[in-house]
Structure formats: C-alpha cells, structure tokens
Amino acid sequence: MSLETLNERVKTDLSYLAYGGADWVRPLSHPAGHVYDVVIVGGGQSGLGAAFGLLRERISNILLIDENSEGLEGPWETYARMVTLRTPKHLTSVDLGIPSLTFRSWWEAQNGAESWEAVDKIPRGDWMDYLRWYRRVLDLPVVNEVRLELIEPGEDGIHRLHISGAGAPKEHLLARKVVLATGIQGGGEWHVPPMVADHLPKAMYAHTSEDMDYTFLRGKRIAILGGGASAFDNANYLLSGGAAEAHVFVRREQLPNVNPIRQMEVSGMIERYHTLSDPEKYAVISHFFKFNQPPTNDTFARAAAWPGFQLHLGSPWLKVEAIGDKAVVTTPKGEFSFDFLVVSTGLLSDPGLRPELRQVESHIARWSDRYEAPSGEANALLDAHPYLSPGFALQPRTEEGRKFVHGLFVFNYSALASCGLSASAISGMKNAVPKLVAGVADQLFTDDREEILSAFYAYHEVEFTGVWPLKTLD
C-alpha cells in the first residue's frame, strides 16, 4: 500500500462514519468579529487529537493556533532528544479508533506490513512525520506562528484571546470555549533550582526543555542534574554531538527501576481514573511522583556506552558557583568543575505561573482548595495543580469566579492530578480526547439548552404524509 492509497482509505473510512455532518451548535454573532465555538491553543498531538474529536462530534467552527512554525509543533523536533519514543509501539492514540489513522497504518503504507514486526520502539522523527501527515490528511484548521498572550474573559461568556506573531490574522480572537493543549510545560513552567539560576550566568547552563544547538559544546565537559529519562537522553545527545564528557548526577543511591506508567497501561487505571475519589486520586499521583520515569534500557545502554559518560549516584548538588569560566558543583562526594551545566529537573504545575491566565488565575481552583491531605501526606507540587472536572474544565474557587473560568479547558500535563495520565502522554490520549470532547460539547449544549429545548418543542415539520384509508384508483 502506498501513502496515497492510505489517504484514500482514511477518507473512505470517515465517510462510512458520516464524518463531516452539519454542525449542531448555534452560531453566535458579536460586534467585535467572528466567534469560534472552540479555539484550541497548541497544534501538537494533543491539539490535533482534540480537533479531530470535535469535528467527529459535528463541531467544526473551531481553530487551532500554535506559536511554532508549521511542522515544528510540540517537542519532537525541538527539545526532545530521545532516539525513540518510550511508549510501547502497539498503543494507539490520536487515531481515536480509526484503524487507517494509526501510526502502524502510516508506517506500513511506506515500509510494508512485514516491517512493523522489526520496529522495537517508534523513532522520534517518524512520530513527528506521522503527526504532520495526520494534520494534512484530516485537513485540520491550524494557524502557525500565533502566540496566545492573554485570555480576557467577557461578561457575555465569550473569551477574547489576545494574540501575536507573524501568523496572527488580527490582534484578538473570540471564542466560546478555549482548550489549552499546551504540552508538558503548558500548565506551569520548567524548573531550574535557585542554586543554579541565582549563582551562574545563563550562558553557563540550560534546561533540557530549551531548544538549543549543542554543537558549541563539542570537546567540553558537561554536568547533567537529574536521574530521569530525559537526563540520559541528553547525555547521549551531547556525547553523540562531540562532547568530551557528560556526567549525570542523581540524588538517589540507585536509579529508579520501576515505571508505574507500564502498570497503568494494563490495569484499567488510565481508562477508569475518573471513577476514583479525590483521596484516591491524590494518593495515586503522590505515589506516581515518587517514581521519576526511569530511562528505557536501550536509552541507558546507549548513553553509558560512550567513553565520556559518568554516572554519580547519591550525589545531590549542594552548591553551584562560577569560578572563572567554569561551573563548579559541590556534592557530598566531592567538588567537580565543568564547562557547562544541563538541568533536567522537570517542571512545576500551577496556573499562577502562566502569563496568559493572569486575569483569571486567582479564580481557578487548585487541589489545595478542594482537598486537604492527611498530615504527613501533603504534596506541595500536587496541591498547586488545577482542580478540573472529568471533562478537563477549570473549576472556580468560589461561585463568584465561575463566570471567569467557565469555558476554559486544560488539556496539558497539569491535568495529571485531576484526570490521570491523559494530555501530553501518548499512553492516555485515546481515552482522554473523548472525555475532553464530551466535556466541551456538553458545555456548549448546556449553555444553549434553553434555545435548543425551545426549538425542540416548537418543531412541527411534517415527515409522515401517508393517509388512511388508502385511495384506490377507479
């Protein structure tokens, strides 16, 4: 099968499902311009999947915006430095149950059916190429190089989105619903410890989330802080790019060797997480946080095979300082000097860290507003997560704040506490997207229920035209 043949198969499959039927959402007019039913912020895998899900529900007055250039959405061609995805290849995601839209179908159309068996894990670049194809074959309405600067809530239930960028058609967009499909960092910010940020010039360090050309580090001696998968991805990336040494520092005495995601994938936890009580959800995610996702075995072996690789266990950084042109790191096991530091310490999730939410964040409920963990079990990182509905909708701290957050949906990594492994995780996508779409569609319907019910009761279009007794021909 060729890719052209697969494209036709996708169209045929969708036609059998009556894809593309007439919208049911009533159009709204506004003196300030066109009102979208939904604007999705983010054109990566989460945003694309959400858009397809909405179109399947006959909600087509939508728009996706992404701050990156076309084809560079998400992390895959920027700061993601793994060789392959960590997710098992057989797990489906944004295809939403359409076999012809799966990665496997796309792969086999180009490489043959027998080639699939030879794939261990999906190569990172091929995953990005698949997402580019997915966007094209579904003709999803994405506008690139558009950055969301501010969400301004309106008294009329319509949000004004202030935007900028070369692709921005105007200074603002109007939307009834806004989906923040903004990736792993979109619910907060990447974390750089103050001991690094406050004591080194920025030219001497970078977070792993930064899109950097590391060629300037050829021949250099580099330290990486963190023991998760990304630390080893970056070590391999740096060494394969010509770095002389890459030292990974881990505070634990041994690397984590359990990946709870694998258990969640087979236990029903991902699919049925929404049925858990708040105390159960809190306990699950607190437990999840204890296991920093370990590197895959092949990732570790790839990094460790380099002559310049060093692993320092039980070695938290106690002090960092600049001495001359070197970054000097002090650990319980000694002092080390490096040319550059790479920080792989993850992120913080808190709506208060997002500049685009500055007009509404004070009204957004956090987990600390809705649940108080037992003494000794509280987790400040989890407490700061937004408290969401099962359909990913923001919830208000008070009833007075409801009008400010109504219509805003969070489909990024900060949904973890409320909705489990979902947005920004390929493993959770096939279950999360339908829940998000249902949440958005339910809200649109509920907002308009008076008009919809009124039209229902007033409906008198004659359909049956039969008469009795039947007329007979003389």
Side-chain angles (χ1 to χ4, degrees), residues 150-413:
L150 176 69
I151 297 176
E152 179 187 350
E155 294 292 335
D156 51 5
I158 296 174
H159 298 281
R160 186 184 298 262
L161 309 185
H162 297 261
I163 57 176
S164 64
K170 55 179 70 174
E171 292 183 351
H172 67 266
L173 300 170
L174 301 178
R176 297 182 66 184
K177 309 298 171 190
V178 181
V179 175
L180 297 173
T182 42
I184 194 168
Q185 80 283 12
E189 65 182 15
W190 295 106
H191 177 58
V192 176
M195 78 165 66
V196 175
D198 295 346
H199 295 93
L200 287 186
K202 185 62 180 71
M204 296 184 74
Y205 73 90
H207 193 279
T208 53
S209 65
E210 295 181 50
D211 179 15
M212 291 187 61
D213 179 4
Y214 278 159
T215 55
F216 76 98
L217 294 177
R218 288 174 181 163
K220 303 296 185 180
R221 178 178 160 95
I222 301 152
I224 302 171
L225 176 62
S230 180
F232 294 91
D233 290 333
N234 278 268
N236 177 68
Y237 184 86
L238 288 160
L239 291 166
S240 63
E245 297 180 19
H247 295 242
V248 174
F249 288 82
V250 184
R251 71 176 183 272
R252 306 174 194 234
E253 292 293 340
Q254 66 177 33
L255 289 175
N257 56 14
V258 174
N259 187 349
I261 293 177
R262 298 290 89 87
Q263 196 276 343
M264 296 169 84
E265 289 167 349
V266 299
S267 65
M269 177 81 75
I270 295 176
E271 297 90 334
R272 305 273 79 83
Y273 181 87
H274 62 279
T275 67
L276 298 177
S277 66
D278 282 356
E280 289 169 330
K281 288 179 179 179
Y282 196 95
V284 164
I285 301 305
S286 289
H287 181 77
F288 181 84
F289 283 168
K290 293 176 183 177
F291 295 90
N292 195 1
Q293 187 175 13
T296 59
N297 291 316
D298 57 315
T299 295
F300 176 78
R302 195 178 293 119
W306 290 96
F309 177 83
Q310 294 279 343
L311 177 61
H312 303 263
L313 295 171
S315 299
W317 289 2
L318 305 177
K319 184 172 70 170
V320 176
E321 56 186 331
I323 300 179
D325 62 349
K326 303 295 184 183
V328 178
V329 174
T330 301
T331 79
K333 298 183 179 181
E335 188 177 275
F336 303 84
S337 178
F338 297 98
D339 297 300
F340 195 79
L341 306 184
V342 174
V343 180
S344 182
T345 48
L347 69 155
L348 303 175
S349 291
D350 184 343
L353 298 173
R354 300 305 308 172
E356 67 271 16
L357 294 176
R358 60 187 180 272
Q359 287 198 4
V360 299
E361 69 87 12
S362 63
H363 302 289
I364 295 173
R366 274 72 156 179
W367 265 79
S368 58
D369 297 311
R370 298 299 179 88
Y371 177 71
E372 183 177 352
S375 178
E377 297 181 18
N379 186 317
L381 294 177
L382 196 160
D383 287 339
H385 280 62
Y387 187 92
L388 308 176
S389 75
F392 296 86
L394 286 172
Q395 300 299 295
R397 270 182 165 149
T398 65
E399 192 58 35
E400 290 73 23
R402 185 172 299 279
K403 63 181 179 181
F404 295 101
V405 304
H406 183 74
L408 302 182
F409 294 78
V410 172
F411 201 59
N412 56 42
Y413 194 71

Side-chain angles (χ1 to χ4, degrees), residues 90-105:
H90 65 273
L91 295 180
T92 56
S93 58
V94 292
D95 54 88
L96 302 188
I98 310 299
S100 57
L101 277 175
T102 60
F103 178 87
R104 179 176 179 175
S105 290

Side-chain angles (χ1 to χ4, degrees), residues 31-213:
H34 179 78
V35 179
Y36 290 97
D37 292 327
V38 187
V39 169
I40 300 170
V41 183
Q45 61 191 23
S46 295
L48 296 177
F52 178 45
L54 289 166
L55 290 170
R56 289 188 67 180
E57 289 294 320
R58 296 187 293 117
I59 302 172
S60 67
N61 179 26
I62 66 175
L63 183 71
L64 294 89
I65 60 174
D66 193 282
E67 63 185 356
N68 301 292
S69 300
E70 183 173 349
L72 295 178
E73 304 85 359
W76 309 113
E77 296 288 348
T78 52
Y79 65 83
R81 299 185 179 101
M82 69 279 282
V83 175
T84 66
L85 303 188
R86 303 174 190 128
T87 311
K89 69 176 185 180
H90 65 273
L91 295 180
T92 56
S93 58
V94 292
D95 54 88
L96 302 188
I98 310 299
S100 57
L101 277 175
T102 60
F103 178 87
R104 179 176 179 175
S105 290
W106 176 83
W107 177 272
E108 291 184 352
Q110 299 165 97
N111 302 291
E114 67 283 352
S115 70
W116 181 248
E117 297 304 319
V119 175
D120 178 25
K121 295 185 178 68
I122 295 172
R124 171 171 55 86
D126 289 302
W127 180 254
M128 186 66 224
D129 285 340
Y130 162 70
L131 293 176
R132 292 171 179 135
W133 168 79
Y134 179 94
R135 167 180 168 173
R136 288 195 305 271
V137 76
L138 293 174
D139 194 23
L140 299 177
V142 186
V143 179
N144 287 91
E145 299 183 54
V146 178
R147 179 181 178 83
L148 174 63
E149 301 291 350
L150 176 69
I151 297 176
E152 179 187 350
E155 294 292 335
D156 51 5
I158 296 174
H159 298 281
R160 186 184 298 262
L161 309 185
H162 297 261
I163 57 176
S164 64
K170 55 179 70 174
E171 292 183 351
H172 67 266
L173 300 170
L174 301 178
R176 297 182 66 184
K177 309 298 171 190
V178 181
V179 175
L180 297 173
T182 42
I184 194 168
Q185 80 283 12
E189 65 182 15
W190 295 106
H191 177 58
V192 176
M195 78 165 66
V196 175
D198 295 346
H199 295 93
L200 287 186
K202 185 62 180 71
M204 296 184 74
Y205 73 90
H207 193 279
T208 53
S209 65
E210 295 181 50
D211 179 15
M212 291 187 61
D213 179 4

Side-chain angles (χ1 to χ4, degrees), residues 392-461:
F392 296 86
L394 286 172
Q395 300 299 295
R397 270 182 165 149
T398 65
E399 192 58 35
E400 290 73 23
R402 185 172 299 279
K403 63 181 179 181
F404 295 101
V405 304
H406 183 74
L408 302 182
F409 294 78
V410 172
F411 201 59
N412 56 42
Y413 194 71
S414 69
L416 178 67
S418 295
C419 301
L421 204 65
S422 51
S424 300
I426 295 173
S427 302
M429 203 68 67
K430 76 171 184 178
N431 299 291
V433 170
K435 290 183 175 70
L436 167 71
V437 169
V440 173
D442 286 353
Q443 218 180 79
L444 285 167
F445 181 88
T446 303
D447 289 350
D448 290 349
R449 63 187 178 277
E450 291 184 10
E451 292 83 357
I452 292 172
L453 291 175
S454 177
F456 170 75
Y457 294 128
Y459 180 80
H460 287 98
E461 184 174 326

